[in-house]
Amino acid sequence: MRRAPTATSVAIALALALLAATASRAAGLLEQFPRAHGVIVTQQACHLLDLYLALSPEQRAQGLMHVRELGEFEGMLFPSRQPAIVSMWMKNTYIPLDMLFIAADGRIVGIAAGTTPLSEDHITSPEPVTGVLELGGGFAARHRVQTGDRFALLPAR
């Protein structure tokens, strides 16, 4: 006997289909990056994200450099195995970004909002983190993302 899909599973399937239909215009520059989906949970909503994963040293060095636009729910995740103070910069990055600093338990512990394109100033996590999530500038304000909210990668299907 087959079960009817739940409202949650239908909503996730529709959101994934929408993300696929609005694939990134940055895809050409980032085609060698693995992809994943993640979710930010705020007090008001859950935001499903289509992410590029910066896993290798080369991918981490490239990041979103030379990318000229991101979709509203697209971003890049820089995961690490061990908590550490992380410092990033915007060299050769043409769009403002919101950098969300993620603790080992998934809490967002810092947000660098609207970073300055092409800047070589260092943007540093407020405490040891296991990931940095980069989203288009203004995302955190538009979607009311705050420190204390949660981020998680979704399991691969």
Side-chain angles (χ1 to χ4, degrees):
M1 177 181 279
R2 212 170 155 183
R3 284 192 207 164
T6 66
T8 301
S9 64
V10 170
I12 289 173
L14 288 172
L16 291 174
L18 179 61
L19 284 173
T22 59
S24 173
R25 295 169 212 79
L29 290 171
L30 303 173
E31 63 191 18
Q32 79 281 12
F33 284 73
R35 304 291 293 268
H37 291 103
V39 64
I40 294 175
V41 180
T42 70
Q43 291 185 5
Q44 295 80 24
C46 295
H47 304 286
L48 183 64
L49 305 170
D50 186 14
L51 301 173
Y52 295 95
L53 303 177
L55 302 177
S56 72
E58 297 80 17
Q59 290 165 341
R60 296 174 78 75
Q62 177 183 336
L64 291 171
M65 288 195 311
H66 306 291
V67 171
R68 301 259 180 196
E69 54 186 5
L70 280 174
E72 180 67 16
F73 295 95
E74 286 184 309
M76 182 171 285
L77 178 65
F78 296 78
S80 64
R81 290 192 173 105
Q82 298 297 321
I85 298 291
V86 175
S87 187
M88 312 280 281
W89 66 353
M90 295 288 292
K91 184 176 182 177
N92 297 320
T93 305
Y94 295 108
I95 56 175
L97 299 172
D98 285 358
M99 294 181 184
L100 283 60
F101 297 98
I102 313 294
D105 64 0
R107 280 178 308 113
I108 298 169
V109 296
I111 300 171
T115 59
T116 304
L118 304 173
S119 171
E120 293 186 22
D121 292 342
H122 288 262
I123 302 157
T124 304
S125 64
E127 65 184 70
V129 295
T130 56
V132 178
L133 176 60
E134 293 183 342
L135 300 165
F139 182 94
R142 284 190 302 277
H143 299 285
R144 299 182 184 167
V145 178
Q146 302 174 15
T147 57
D149 290 342
R150 299 278 176 170
F151 169 79
L153 275 178
L154 298 177
R157 298 192 123 211

